[in-house]
Amino acid sequence: MKLAIKILTLLLSILSPLYTEAQNIAAAWEAMPAHILPTISKNARLDMIDLYNAGMSAKVATFTGDTACLTAMGDNYLFLRTSKASTMQMMQIVDGKRLFYAIITTIEGPVANSHIDMYDEKWQPLEAKKFFPNINVADFVNLPKSKRKEREELLKKIPLHTIQYNMTHMTNDIIAIPSFLQTLDEETRKEIEHNFHKQIVLQWKGKKWKVTK
């Protein structure tokens, strides 16, 4: 019996660093430093959480005079419209003894373009490149790299190199979408879009995301 108690105590001591830091996404968003999302106050965040949990429209006014709305929230994921032209996705990921947050900020004008930031459990910034592969417009071209000239000609037709990212919170994967195709006139887009992947899946592999197409 004493041995069983010692084993249980040892297991709890190993797991406690993880579980004492882990919290649901609502608590994590409440604790998020103001500088990460300066347009919405902490009190406003609390109001949005309460409204959402009550099944009501979770809208608040921002410091910029816009309206923010919390549209989705689970245990480890939330989606927030921060203004008419921007959104924020936040995911809490537990990897063994590590806990960290991935935040995708998307500006939707003239077309959607996203940026990813990473933070540890204390909201200290992490180097995103250690977790997230660098995706660019060329990665979406589905022609073989041996067709160098054809690839170069395609890329010359892309004026804005915009990419949209969406989280799939059930798997921790991230979907990259070639929003840059929407910057083209309709004739050019129809002419070349078949030469581009419709999306790139960044699959969560336990320590970082890796590209699958």
Side-chain angles (χ1 to χ4, degrees), residues 17-43:
L18 171 62
Y19 292 109
T20 54
E21 294 290 354
Q23 53 191 332
N24 64 31
I25 201 69
W29 189 43
E30 177 187 344
M32 185 179 72
H35 71 268
I36 297 177
L37 186 60
T39 59
I40 303 174
S41 70
K42 182 175 181 178
N43 286 337

Side-chain angles (χ1 to χ4, degrees), residues 58-77:
K59 294 181 179 180
V60 299
T62 68
F63 290 144
T64 58
D66 215 317
T67 299
C69 183
L70 179 62
T71 62
M73 183 173 64
D75 290 334
N76 69 328
Y77 171 83

Side-chain angles (χ1 to χ4, degrees), residues 79-207:
F79 183 95
L80 175 72
R81 176 158 289 282
T82 50
S83 73
K84 292 179 181 178
S86 60
T87 64
M88 186 191 83
Q89 300 169 72
M90 175 177 162
M91 184 186 295
Q92 177 180 271
I93 298 176
V94 177
D95 172 27
K97 294 183 180 180
R98 295 190 308 169
L99 183 151
F100 52 89
Y101 303 104
I103 292 182
I104 296 179
T105 303
T106 300
I107 305 299
E108 297 177 337
V111 294
N113 190 41
S114 301
H115 177 74
I116 298 181
D117 292 297
M118 303 291 298
Y119 299 90
D120 66 16
E121 72 280 358
K122 296 182 180 179
W123 287 105
Q124 295 302 306
L126 301 170
E127 287 189 77
K129 65 182 181 181
K130 290 183 177 180
F131 299 87
F132 191 82
N134 181 35
I135 302 295
N136 57 50
V137 173
D139 294 318
F140 286 91
V141 178
N142 60 24
L143 295 176
K145 290 187 178 181
S146 59
K147 294 188 175 183
R148 181 177 175 182
K149 289 186 178 179
E150 291 91 332
R151 289 173 62 90
E152 289 177 350
E153 288 302 314
L154 279 174
L155 294 174
K156 286 179 182 178
K157 295 182 179 182
I158 308 299
L160 293 175
H161 290 195
T162 59
I163 299 172
Q164 181 179 0
Y165 294 113
N166 290 316
M167 293 176 173
T168 54
H169 60 281
M170 297 300 292
T171 60
N172 292 340
D173 295 343
I174 295 175
I175 308 298
I177 300 171
S179 58
F180 54 82
L181 291 175
Q182 302 306 313
T183 67
L184 306 175
D185 61 81
E186 186 176 1
E187 182 179 351
T188 303
R189 179 173 55 79
K190 288 183 177 180
E191 175 190 349
I192 71 171
E193 64 181 351
H194 66 279
N195 290 312
F196 291 87
H197 296 290
K198 293 183 179 180
Q199 65 179 33
I200 294 176
V201 178
L202 301 169
Q203 193 171 32
W204 177 246
K205 293 294 187 178
K207 294 186 180 296

